[in-house]
Amino acid sequence: MDDIEVPQYFICPISLQIMKDPVTVITGITYDRESIEHWLFTSKNITTCPVSKQPLPKDSDLTPNHMLRRLIQAWCTQNASHGVDRIPTPKPPLDRFQVLKLIKHLWLPQFQLKTIGQLELLAAESERNRNHMVEAGVPRAMLSFIGMCFKKGQTDGLEEALSVLKFIPIPSAEIKQVLVENDHIIDSLTWVLRCEMKNQITVKSHAMIVLKTITKAAGSRVLERLEPEFFKTIVRVLRCGITQQGINAALHVLLETCPWHRNQIIMVEAGTVFELIELELGFPENRTTELIFGVLFHLCSLAEGRARFLNHRGSIAVVSKRILSVSPAADDRAVLILTMICKFSGTHMVIQEMLKVGAVSKLCSLLQVDCGTYLKDRVKEILRLHSKEWKDSPCIGVSQDQYLR
């Protein structure tokens, strides 16, 4: 657009762009619909009018300012030669009744794929649409649709249904109700993770994000009865590759389900320990490391888990190297993992390996920095256990040798 002056009252006070769909709120201020909806629906606190600072309820009426919109459209048309794009007349906003009609069409075979495509577009369009869709029960309908696909072995529409669920949060109470009514929903999502289909990396990542939401809301009655195939599938997906968001979601699922002893045994047998170490060797983002170490800590509470950990040649080295380089949470989990190894699997070979890869030196360094008393006590416990083997080693610096005596 050429350097022309835009009338100030055409500009949205929030986005500072020309308004495409001007609406007036109860305080008398006009904003672009998309901007004020985002302001209202994403705020976690009591909302106020951005300009007047007066209270502005989340369910405030947004009155279309048709006259201002026509003025803006006319001005854009007059200035088209200066590179100003014409603003089309906006579509009427979605309401709850339209959404309910679409949900009904979802169960009619002849309208199914078209309807689910429409729902995906509406979910991507605006915050207001997403709120109406939650109120109308779209998340629950999507979970039911995925369950139907599982029973029929149908993959058409899965990508769109999972995309909708990525846009729209599933209310916790709704998940619990679905789990009561449909105990196959976790099996359905596990099946999606095993399917071969177009755009499967995206589809499986979205399925994993939904699975994370469900496992977080599910109770022990569900989580302590998960099938071995569930864990094998998650490990297989981590091995084959999904998006970073999908990886973190998968790790959240493992972390939510691994406190149960039965699940720990199944995870270890599924090869989880090896895959997590391989993932960590790829230098993931900090949050991923924290999640990996959280799961490894639980699995190293088992003798077989520690054996699998030590069978990987890079295990002790990678855990040690992350100390003081990721976050306090990662340090905490790394020390707990090494505590398990030293207390219950501290053979001569393991103790020498810790010395060789710098684990002992890193533990001594933790005592020299500002970290929690609890963590320092854990470190001292490890160092006391094997101080005889470590204290005279040339791998330990002079300043650190004091902690081994």
Side-chain angles (χ1 to χ4, degrees):
M1 187 168 72
D2 294 344
D3 189 18
I4 58 171
E5 186 175 348
V6 180
Q8 190 60 38
Y9 57 96
F10 288 1
I11 303 295
C12 172
I14 298 174
S15 68
L16 303 181
Q17 302 295 316
I18 297 175
M19 290 184 276
K20 297 178 181 177
D21 186 6
V23 292
T24 303
V25 299
I26 56 173
T27 60
I29 309 297
T30 298
Y31 301 93
D32 197 25
R33 182 185 291 278
E34 184 179 354
S35 298
I36 192 61
E37 284 182 352
H38 184 76
W39 173 274
L40 290 171
F41 295 134
T42 58
S43 174
K44 294 180 181 177
N45 304 311
I46 297 172
T47 50
T48 56
C49 176
V51 172
S52 71
K53 306 303 179 188
Q54 292 175 281
L56 191 62
K58 289 179 183 290
D59 58 353
S60 296
D61 286 334
L62 304 178
T63 306
N65 193 327
H66 296 301
M67 182 170 287
L68 179 57
R69 175 179 53 77
R70 292 189 192 103
L71 286 172
I72 292 172
Q73 287 177 321
W75 181 86
C76 289
T77 301
Q78 290 169 6
N79 289 279
S81 60
H82 297 286
V84 177
D85 295 328
R86 185 183 180 280
I87 293 174
T89 301
K91 295 182 293 183
L94 184 71
D95 62 41
R96 187 169 180 268
F97 300 104
Q98 289 171 281
V99 180
L100 290 170
K101 185 178 178 182
L102 285 170
I103 291 174
K104 283 184 180 179
H105 283 177
L106 185 63
W107 307 113
L108 301 173
Q110 66 271 34
F111 298 127
Q112 212 163 62
L113 295 182
K114 181 182 177 182
T115 300
I116 206 159
Q118 287 177 304
L119 288 169
E120 182 188 21
L121 289 172
L122 289 169
E125 197 172 85
S126 72
E127 201 73 40
R128 177 174 285 271
N129 285 359
R130 291 190 281 275
N131 276 274
H132 282 312
M133 292 168 84
V134 169
E135 289 170 8
V138 168
R140 192 167 174 176
M142 292 300 98
L143 290 173
S144 298
F145 177 80
I146 292 167
M148 183 207 69
C149 289
F150 166 58
K151 289 174 183 175
K152 291 185 175 181
Q154 167 192 325
T155 58
D156 291 340
L158 276 177
E159 182 177 355
E160 292 81 2
L162 288 162
S163 178
V164 170
L165 289 174
K166 181 178 179 290
F167 283 115
I168 301 175
I170 311 170
S172 179
E174 207 159 299
I175 293 172
K176 289 175 181 175
Q177 188 62 34
V178 169
L179 287 168
V180 169
E181 295 172 358
N182 180 4
D183 57 358
H184 294 300
I185 191 61
I186 290 179
D187 291 337
S188 303
L189 290 164
T190 308
W191 166 75
V192 174
L193 294 172
R194 293 197 301 270
C195 284
E196 298 295 322
M197 64 187 90
K198 187 180 176 184
N199 298 328
Q200 62 179 353
I201 289 178
T202 300
V203 174
K204 291 181 181 183
S205 296
H206 289 174
M208 198 66 82
I209 291 165
V210 175
L211 198 54
K212 169 195 164 185
T213 306
I214 288 174
T215 53
K216 192 172 182 181
S220 58
R221 186 187 67 83
V222 173
L223 300 183
E224 65 187 3
R225 297 179 183 178
L226 294 168
E227 297 292 334
E229 191 57 36
F230 172 84
F231 296 106
K232 289 177 184 175
T233 301
I234 290 177
V235 171
R236 195 179 305 123
V237 171
L238 283 173
R239 184 186 307 128
C240 297
I242 47 176
T243 65
Q244 182 61 54
Q245 196 177 6
I247 288 170
N248 283 0
L251 294 170
H252 270 287
V253 171
L254 293 175
L255 199 55
E256 288 286 347
T257 54
C258 69
W260 286 272
H261 183 74
R262 169 192 174 275
N263 291 350
Q264 293 170 6
I265 294 170
I266 297 171
M267 284 189 207
V268 170
E269 290 174 349
T272 308
V273 174
F274 179 88
E275 292 305 330
L276 293 182
I277 296 168
E278 286 292 300
L279 190 58
E280 186 56 40
L281 286 168
F283 292 96
E285 63 183 33
N286 289 356
R287 181 56 184 149
T288 306
T289 294
E290 292 171 357
L291 292 167
I292 289 171
F293 283 9
V295 179
L296 284 175
F297 159 65
H298 283 285
L299 300 188
C300 282
S301 66
L302 301 179
E304 184 59 25
R306 293 190 296 275
R308 299 282 183 108
F309 179 85
L310 293 171
N311 279 343
H312 195 298
R313 294 181 64 184
S315 59
I316 295 176
V318 76
V319 170
S320 306
K321 285 178 181 177
R322 297 296 183 265
I323 293 174
L324 294 176
S325 63
V326 176
S327 68
D331 291 342
D332 181 73
R333 290 293 172 261
V335 169
L336 288 173
I337 291 166
L338 294 177
T339 300
M340 294 281 191
I341 297 300
C342 287
K343 283 182 74 171
F344 305 111
S345 304
T347 64
H348 176 74
M349 187 178 295
V350 169
I351 299 311
Q352 292 306 308
E353 174 75 7
M354 288 182 68
L355 203 56
K356 187 171 72 174
V357 301
V360 182
S361 182
K362 272 293 183 79
L363 290 171
C364 290
S365 296
L366 269 173
L367 295 176
Q368 298 172 312
V369 300
D370 182 22
C371 63
T373 304
Y374 159 81
L375 194 60
K376 288 190 176 184
D377 288 343
R378 284 283 187 183
V379 170
K380 288 173 183 175
E381 182 185 2
I382 297 172
L383 296 176
R384 277 196 300 267
L385 278 170
H386 304 288
S387 59
K388 289 181 180 178
E389 292 94 331
W390 291 334
K391 66 181 180 181
D392 296 319
S393 170
C395 299
I396 302 298
V398 175
S399 63
Q400 297 174 333
D401 186 59
Q402 59 178 307
Y403 301 117
L404 298 168
R405 297 188 183 280

